[in-house]
Amino acid sequence: MKKDYTRPLDIKHGRVDMGHGAGGKAAAQLIEELFLAAFDNPYLRQGDDGARLPLPSFPAGEGRLVMATDGHVVSPLFFPGGDVGCLSVHGTVNDVAMSGATPLWLSASFILEEGFPLIELQRIVRSMAAAARAAGVPIVTGDTKVVEKGKGDGVFISTTGVGVVPPGVDIAGCNARAGDVLLLSGPIGDHGVAVLSQRESLAFETTIESDTAALHTLVAAMLHAAPGAVRVLRDPTRGGLATTLNEIAKQSGVGMLLQEAAIPVRPQVDAACELLGLDPLYVANEGKLVAVCAPEAADAVLAAMRAHPLGAEAARIGEVTTDPHHFVQMATRFGGRRVVDWLSGEQLPRIC
Amino acid sequence: MKKDYTRPLDIKHGRVDMGHGAGGKAAAQLIEELFLAAFDNPYLRQGDDGARLPLPSFPAGEGRLVMATDGHVVSPLFFPGGDVGCLSVHGTVNDVAMSGATPLWLSASFILEEGFPLIELQRIVRSMAAAARAAGVPIVTGDTKVVEKGKGDGVFISTTGVGVVPPGVDIAGCNARAGDVLLLSGPIGDHGVAVLSQRESLAFETTIESDTAALHTLVAAMLHAAPGAVRVLRDPTRGGLATTLNEIAKQSGVGMLLQEAAIPVRPQVDAACELLGLDPLYVANEGKLVAVCAPEAADAVLAAMRAHPLGAEAARIGEVTTDPHHFVQMATRFGGRRVVDWLSGEQLPRIC
Ligand SMILES: Nc1ncnc2c1ncn2[C@@H]1O[C@H](COP(=O)(O)OP(=O)(O)OP(=O)(O)O)[C@@H](O)[C@H]1O
Ligand SMILES: Nc1ncnc2c1ncn2[C@@H]1O[C@H](COP(=O)(O)OP(=O)(O)OP(=O)(O)O)[C@@H](O)[C@H]1O
Ligand SMILES: [Mg+2]
Ligand SMILES: [Mg+2]
Ligand SMILES: [Mg+2]
Ligand SMILES: [Mg+2]
Ligand SMILES: [Mg+2]
Ligand SMILES: [Mg+2]
């Protein structure tokens, strides 16, 4: 069972390990006890995918910006369905969109390893440019650093996105209430399995492609379908759906009850996870979102999702409950019930 | 003599080399022919330290944001006068301020190497937090990735800053005109020499400290002293003062004439450069700015600089000229005249 406390980080003797980058419990602890402890401010304390920021001298509810950042260190750099370039656009556009904001601009900071072939760099940069153009979010400023061979790994790309929140929109991780409905935009696990199969040179019968995609137009369609009904949005990236739902449950002080049978997973992904010893609930996605919705509007939002190409396989997967322990529980296919905890250690390193 | 063309980048067979990260001619070529060619958009084409961005639905001249980003890969991570943490705050605050904008918020993306001691990470993060607090620019969102031992180098930090341009302010690299005055906020070369001496374990008679500092309050004082008079601002980081002035000359389509005797260099820095075979004109600074100013207001701006702690040793170093070749020339101490070209190859790797 999930404990609400953990041993504090041993900063004096400890060292960074791969789990600190996996997006699960160890990462959350490092961020809380080392980064947030030092940077402490109300924007960061919101704990959402992007920070919501009031521009000075605006009436309340207007002039609200969102800022989000992600570093991308995926290995290998090219994988079925994408590469580090388009991923670095999609990941950050999505974190801006998860506040209900319209993404406007991106910055890109490149850390290149000496000796990296320019032709591969160009392929990555062109993929990035195409993704930015398709999303309508230009890369407006950048930076280029080079480190010696053996001090980097090809290409690392950190992108930052800025967007504006339309008036009337209030979406945040702390807004879920008991009775709300959980919606998922499509099948889970594709991205993680695609990267891992490439890394391990696994040949499955059919190639599993990453779901990497920009979700802001899907979000716009959802908000338009039922204004005010969407309370929380989040993209289940590192740590997967399980960790994302635990984050929201903690932020909102609620529980959740999932219906295992309702959670879409492609059969090939299921089979690959079986083979690799993974649980799709903990595998990263890069083109999916989970929404917490007012119950009366859930059908309208779900219909809007299904009408969008990136939400064609959207599903209602459970509901928000009252639970002082903030557990995410799951009604299993076999009629049982179990707690779905946060990702604890490291599952798939360098997945994004 | 400086040529206006170079051989195009050999993308097909070429590889990333350390010069591509040095901020000089090779870096400018990589950015132009590989990155800008792909990302092409009017914001990026401005070619300034930060992008100036119009928020939708604002009257012209209002609601203008600035966004700037820099990756920080300095080696070693700690050096006299600073560390990668405070540097990553100052560098990005300064690039926002160089558009005359008031910096408001920062994001921070960390790429950590497995095995890095948490106690050193905490020292860096605390230094960063202190710098952000002192500057009044909070770190509002972040990201944490970990790469395997040998795939990174301790800590890389990419920061992005967002600010707003006050109404009436129009500062850009293309605004310099013949007859304008060149002002420099203080002695050059401190940062580069501080990092290099630490790296090479050189013991000079006196420790040379990095000048790393946030310059936005200095900028505010300058703009206040003579509204409309400051046309261009730039921080001479990688590539040093020489490269920065060449960038501005190119953007504005002008020439420049420097007075060697007027350019402040600390005697210890001069001596260290002599020893290390460096020219202070090409050595990175992290707490200095160069300003191009309307001639009638130059005295007022200079006085405002000297009244600010970060501009106490500010000096008038030359003027803008008409020159179809866009040369930066220098009247030497000995009465001669020479062309001061861009930094060409790599001088000091991983200086910031
Ligand atoms: N990889 C990139 N993609 C797109 N634009 C880039 C890239 N790298 C740099 N730029 C752009 O090139 C210009 C020069 O960047 P540069 O990093 O040299 O400036 P700076 O940040 O002021 O200097 P420094 O990084 O030394 O502090 C800026 O307009 C920047 O936005
Ligand atoms: N080094 C850091 N310093 C400050 N805040 C951080 C840092 N790393 C992460 N955060 C904050 O922690 C929260 C969770 O970040 P996280 O990166 O897990 O979210 P995400 O970007 O949505 O997920 P992913 O990175 O897997 O796409 C965010 O509010 C983020 O701003
Ligand atoms: Mg996210
Ligand atoms: Mg993210
Ligand atoms: Mg830069
Ligand atoms: Mg600059
Ligand atoms: Mg800079
Ligand atoms: Mg992140």
Side-chain angles (χ1 to χ4, degrees):
Chain A
M1 282 230 315
K2 180 187 149 217
K3 292 167 295 174
D4 244 9
Y5 62 94
T6 343
R7 196 190 302 254
L9 206 61
D10 183 358
I11 292 182
K12 209 162 157 196
H13 306 99
R15 290 175 179 273
V16 171
D17 63 45
M18 296 307 291
H20 289 132
K25 220 177 174 69
Q29 187 178 21
L30 182 76
I31 292 167
E32 176 74 30
E33 295 176 26
L34 200 148
F35 291 103
L36 265 61
F39 296 153
D40 199 34
N41 63 69
Y43 309 111
L44 204 51
R45 281 275 160 212
Q46 294 165 356
D48 286 319
D49 293 11
R52 277 162 302 138
L53 306 161
L55 274 172
S57 74
F58 271 80
E62 280 176 59
R64 293 174 303 163
L65 296 188
V66 169
M67 192 173 178
T69 196
D70 262 336
H72 295 86
V73 301
V74 64
S75 172
L77 295 167
F78 302 92
F79 47 82
D83 54 70
V84 68
C86 65
L87 191 68
S88 73
V89 168
H90 296 152
T92 294
V93 162
N94 291 349
D95 278 335
V96 171
M98 293 307 121
S99 295
T102 309
L104 294 174
W105 306 295
L106 288 173
S107 68
S109 157
F110 290 80
I111 298 175
L112 309 176
E113 187 189 10
E114 181 187 19
F116 190 70
L118 292 180
I119 192 83
E120 287 187 40
L121 180 60
Q122 186 182 55
R123 211 177 128 201
I124 289 165
V125 167
R126 284 186 173 168
S127 160
M128 204 171 162
R133 207 156 283 136
V137 187
I139 294 156
V140 298
T141 191
D143 185 62
T144 311
K145 295 291 185 315
V146 179
V147 295
E148 300 86 351
K149 211 172 170 62
K151 302 287 182 181
D153 197 13
V155 182
F156 301 145
I157 308 175
S158 290
T159 47
T160 302
V162 169
V164 283
V165 185
V169 170
D170 175 27
I171 292 174
C174 60
N175 287 350
R177 308 175 204 169
D180 284 351
V181 170
L182 300 172
L183 303 175
L184 175 66
S185 67
I188 56 172
D190 298 12
H191 177 73
V193 168
V195 172
L196 198 66
S197 64
Q198 177 76 15
R199 195 184 294 166
E200 314 277 337
S201 304
L202 297 175
F204 298 113
E205 261 165 64
T206 51
T207 305
I208 297 162
E209 295 214 327
S210 167
D211 60 345
T212 182
L215 296 168
H216 58 312
T217 61
L218 173 62
V219 170
M222 293 165 68
L223 300 189
H224 183 257
V230 177
R231 303 210 223 267
V232 186
L233 289 170
R234 193 150 296 176
D235 55 338
T237 50
R238 290 177 297 160
L241 181 64
T243 304
T244 293
L245 292 176
N246 271 285
E247 282 172 19
I248 298 170
K250 186 181 169 196
Q251 280 180 276
S252 288
V254 296
M256 293 185 183
L257 180 60
L258 300 175
Q259 301 297 329
E260 184 174 25
I263 300 174
V265 185
R266 295 185 204 289
Q268 317 93 286
V269 170
D270 224 4
C273 281
E274 190 81 47
L275 194 78
L276 297 163
L278 297 174
D279 180 342
L281 283 174
Y282 293 91
V283 176
N285 312 277
E286 290 290 344
K288 296 297 175 322
L289 63 80
V290 57
V292 181
C293 236
E296 64 279 7
D299 286 338
V301 176
L302 187 58
M305 292 169 82
R306 289 196 174 145
H308 190 284
L310 294 174
E313 297 168 77
R316 176 196 280 246
I317 60 165
E319 59 181 30
V320 178
T321 60
T322 305
D323 181 347
H325 300 292
H326 315 152
F327 285 148
V328 175
Q329 301 204 54
M330 187 158 77
T332 65
R333 274 208 183 76
F334 312 106
R337 197 178 264 215
R338 65 175 177 92
V339 171
V340 175
D341 202 353
W342 299 62
L343 174 67
S344 59
E346 158 215 352
Q347 193 188 34
L348 297 175
R350 297 186 58 187
I351 209 68
C352 65
Chain B
M1 283 231 314
K2 180 186 147 218
K3 290 168 295 174
D4 244 10
Y5 62 92
T6 344
R7 197 190 301 254
L9 206 61
D10 183 358
I11 292 182
K12 208 161 158 194
H13 306 99
R15 290 175 179 272
V16 171
D17 63 46
M18 297 306 292
H20 290 131
K25 222 178 174 70
Q29 187 178 23
L30 183 76
I31 292 168
E32 176 74 30
E33 294 176 26
L34 200 148
F35 292 103
L36 266 61
F39 296 153
D40 199 33
N41 64 68
Y43 308 111
L44 204 50
R45 282 276 161 210
Q46 293 165 356
D48 286 320
D49 293 11
R52 276 161 303 137
L53 307 161
L55 274 171
S57 75
F58 270 80
E62 280 176 60
R64 293 175 304 163
L65 296 188
V66 168
M67 192 173 178
T69 195
D70 263 334
H72 295 86
V73 300
V74 65
S75 172
L77 295 167
F78 302 91
F79 48 81
D83 55 70
V84 68
C86 65
L87 191 69
S88 73
V89 169
H90 296 152
T92 295
V93 162
N94 291 348
D95 277 336
V96 171
M98 294 306 121
S99 294
T102 309
L104 294 175
W105 307 295
L106 288 173
S107 69
S109 157
F110 289 80
I111 298 175
L112 309 176
E113 187 189 11
E114 182 186 18
F116 190 70
L118 292 180
I119 191 82
E120 287 188 39
L121 180 60
Q122 186 181 55
R123 210 176 129 201
I124 289 166
V125 167
R126 286 187 172 168
S127 161
M128 206 172 161
R133 207 156 284 136
V137 187
I139 295 155
V140 298
T141 191
D143 185 63
T144 311
K145 296 290 186 310
V146 179
V147 295
E148 301 85 351
K149 211 172 169 64
K151 303 286 183 180
D153 196 12
V155 183
F156 300 145
I157 308 175
S158 290
T159 47
T160 302
V162 170
V164 282
V165 185
V169 171
D170 175 26
I171 292 174
C174 60
N175 286 350
R177 307 175 205 169
D180 284 352
V181 170
L182 300 172
L183 302 176
L184 175 67
S185 67
I188 56 172
D190 298 12
H191 177 73
V193 168
V195 173
L196 198 66
S197 63
Q198 177 76 15
R199 194 184 294 165
E200 314 277 337
S201 304
L202 298 176
F204 299 113
E205 261 164 66
T206 52
T207 305
I208 297 162
E209 296 213 327
S210 166
D211 59 344
T212 184
L215 296 168
H216 58 313
T217 60
L218 174 62
V219 170
M222 292 164 68
L223 301 188
H224 184 257
V230 177
R231 302 209 224 268
V232 186
L233 288 171
R234 194 149 297 176
D235 55 339
T237 49
R238 289 177 298 161
L241 181 65
T243 304
T244 294
L245 292 175
N246 272 284
E247 283 171 21
I248 298 170
K250 187 182 170 195
Q251 280 180 276
S252 288
V254 296
M256 291 184 185
L257 180 60
L258 300 175
Q259 301 297 328
E260 184 174 25
I263 300 174
V265 185
R266 294 186 204 289
Q268 318 91 288
V269 171
D270 223 6
C273 283
E274 190 80 48
L275 194 79
L276 297 163
L278 298 174
D279 181 341
L281 282 173
Y282 294 92
V283 176
N285 311 276
E286 291 290 344
K288 296 297 175 320
L289 63 79
V290 56
V292 181
C293 236
E296 63 278 9
D299 286 339
V301 176
L302 186 59
M305 292 169 82
R306 289 196 175 147
H308 190 284
L310 294 174
E313 296 168 77
R316 176 197 281 246
I317 61 165
E319 59 180 30
V320 178
T321 60
T322 304
D323 182 345
H325 300 291
H326 314 153
F327 286 147
V328 175
Q329 301 204 52
M330 187 159 76
T332 65
R333 273 206 183 77
F334 312 105
R337 196 179 265 215
R338 65 176 178 93
V339 172
V340 175
D341 203 352
W342 299 61
L343 175 67
S344 59
E346 158 216 351
Q347 193 187 34
L348 297 175
R350 298 187 57 190
I351 209 69
C352 66

